[in-house]
Amino acid sequence: MAEFDDIIHQPLRLKIMAALNALPATAGLEFSRLKKLTGATDGNLGAHIETLAKAGYVAVEKAFVGKKPRTTVTTTAAGRVAFARHVATLQEIIAGAAR
Amino acid sequence: MSRIDPQQAASALSDIDSVARRVRQSTVYQLSSLLIVMWGVLVFAGNIASFLWPRSAGYIWIAVDVAGIAGSFVVSGFGRTRTGIRSFDVRMLTAFLLFLAFGFFCTRGLAHFTPRQLATFWPIYFMLAYTLVGLWVGRAFVAIGLGIAALTLAGYFLIGDWFEPWMALINGGGLILGGLWMRRN
C-alpha cells in the first residue's frame, strides 16, 4: 500500500488532470469541452476545478468571445509534476503487488 | 493522505488512459475538421470550375492544390493559437507532396487516364489515405473515406455527363459535411 496526493486522487479531479495532461503544456481546455470529456455537471466540474486551482495545479482563465463568456483551464507546472508523481505512484502500487 | 490497493490503482490508471485517449482524439478531430472543411470548399470549387472549363482542368487542380497547401498552413496557425498544436507542418507537407507525386506517377507515368478516370482516381486515392489514417486516429476518418470513395465509384459507373457536378456535391460537399460532423463529435 502506498500514500499519495488526495487532491488528484478524487475520480473527477483525476479525469480533469488526465485530460489537461494529455495536451501540450501551453494548451488548455475550454470548460464546455472538459465537461463533455469528463461527463460531469456544470456545478460539479466548477467545484473540482476550483479545488485544483486552490492547490495550484490548474490555472483558470476567463474571457469573453463576443458576448459569450469562455473559461479555459490549463495545468500549471506544479500540476504537471504532481500528476506525473501521482501516475508513478499508481504504477508503483501495481508493480509492488506483482512482485 | 490516502492508501489504495493495486486494483484501485489499476482502475485509476485505466481512467487516465481512457480520458487521455479521448482528449487526443477530440483534439485531432477539432484540428482536422477545419482543414477538411477548407479542402471541401476548394474541391467543390475545383469540380465546378472543371465542369465549366474542362480544357483548363489541369491548371484548375494545380491552383486548388496550391491554395489548399497555403490554406492548410493558415488554418494550422489558427489552430495552434487555440490549442498549442500545429496540425499542418513541413512533415505533413512532405507527406502530401510524396503522396501527390506517387499519384502523378501512376496516372501519367505508368498509365494514361481519361479525364473521367482521373477525376475518379484522385478522390478515391485521397479517400484511401483518409481511411488508413482513420484506422489510427478515429472512425470519423474511416467513415468519410469509405463513404466518399463509394459515392465516387457510384458516380463513375452510373452518372453520365453530370459527373463533375456530382463530384462537387459528393467529394466537396462530402468533405464539408464530414468536417462539420467531425467537429460536432
Side-chain angles (χ1 to χ4, degrees), chain A residues 3-4 6 27 30 33 37, chain B residues 2-3 22 26-27 82-83:
Chain A
E3 292 186 354
F4 57 87
D6 269 334
E30 283 174 30
R33 203 165 152 222
L37 287 162
Chain B
S2 307
R3 288 168 179 276
R22 286 173 61 196
S26 126
T27 306
R82 289 195 67 185
T83 63

Side-chain angles (χ1 to χ4, degrees), chain A residues 1-6 9 14-15 18-20 22-24 26-30 33 36-39 70 83 86-87 90-91 93-94 97, chain B residues 1-13 15-17 19-28 30 82-85 183-185:
Chain A
M1 302 283 245
E3 292 186 354
F4 57 87
D5 193 339
D6 269 334
H9 181 54
L14 183 75
K15 283 183 183 173
L20 295 173
L23 297 167
T26 53
L29 281 173
E30 283 174 30
R33 203 165 152 222
K36 266 188 196 170
L37 287 162
T38 56
R70 187 165 73 189
F83 183 74
H86 183 77
V87 171
L90 293 173
Q91 286 165 340
I93 294 169
I94 296 168
Chain B
M1 301 284 256
S2 307
R3 288 168 179 276
I4 63 162
D5 61 39
Q7 210 175 350
Q8 288 170 308
S11 164
L13 281 177
D15 281 348
I16 290 169
D17 190 46
V19 172
R21 224 176 318 119
R22 286 173 61 196
V23 170
R24 278 192 289 268
Q25 189 180 65
S26 126
T27 306
V28 167
Q30 196 186 26
R82 289 195 67 185
T83 63
I85 301 164
R183 204 159 181 76
R184 268 194 67 197
N185 281 328

